[in-house]
Amino acid sequence: MADSSIMANSGLWVGILTALTALGASYITARATSRAALAQARTTTTAQALREQRDRRRSTYREMMDCAHAFNEVTWQIDDVDAARDRETKDRLLARMYEGIGPAIGNMNKATHEVRLDGPAEVSAAAEQVRQMARRLQPLLKALIGDDTPERRLDYDAAYRDFRGTYITFVGLAQQALEVRDEEG
């Protein structure tokens, strides 16, 4: 009888040990599942935030590029000025360009501020350079009205080339900023 009592106690202990092992394994599995779900939720949230940031930046950068294009539409009218035969027509066309350049720069100012908000810093700095170069062109355009000296036109052309260079730099940096986010997302 002593043997059956020992056997019963051993069976009881084996059952208790098995139950405790199962409970421990269940607890560990539940914690691992919970951690995995939390990690997945964080990954999804981070990916969504990066996607939203990229979309917001893309929209902001496009607005800046649209403003630069509108500015270019004004400055490209210099070809019409060059084709004009008399000084009066040239001055009239230059005055019309000058009237159009102010609002174009105003829109670019607003777009530049939006780029500053969305960043990153390199793209913001490039947008500011584009804006500064556009602003530099405005008085040079005004100086062309009534002035036939080649130096004034050379100054204007050089400033326009600087504007185009800064604009191309901005576009390249904007593309890079969006590509980095694509790789991370």
Side-chain angles (χ1 to χ4, degrees), residues 46-47 49-58 61-62 174-185:
T46 300
L50 289 173
R51 199 171 13 264
E52 288 172 7
Q53 179 187 52
R54 182 184 57 234
D55 291 347
R56 191 176 55 251
R57 283 181 175 176
R58 181 173 289 141
Y61 299 165
R62 276 194 180 133
Q175 286 173 329
Q176 287 176 0
L178 293 173
E179 288 171 4
V180 168
R181 293 299 175 215
D182 284 339
E183 291 169 5
E184 288 178 4

Side-chain angles (χ1 to χ4, degrees), residues 85-147:
R85 295 182 182 193
D86 60 272
R87 184 76 244 167
E88 183 181 323
T89 304
K90 287 179 189 246
D91 286 346
R92 186 172 30 81
L93 292 170
L94 287 167
R96 187 174 71 202
M97 285 175 65
Y98 186 73
E99 288 172 14
I101 208 167
I105 291 173
N107 291 334
M108 195 178 302
N109 288 338
K110 181 181 176 222
T112 300
H113 296 310
E114 292 295 319
V115 172
R116 274 194 204 121
L117 287 175
D118 287 329
E122 309 84 48
V123 179
S124 297
E128 178 60 25
Q129 279 297 110
V130 171
R131 184 179 82 86
Q132 289 299 326
M133 290 299 108
R135 291 181 67 211
R136 188 173 142 216
L137 265 167
Q138 190 174 19
L140 295 172
L141 176 62
K142 186 175 185 179
L144 290 174
I145 301 171
D147 191 330

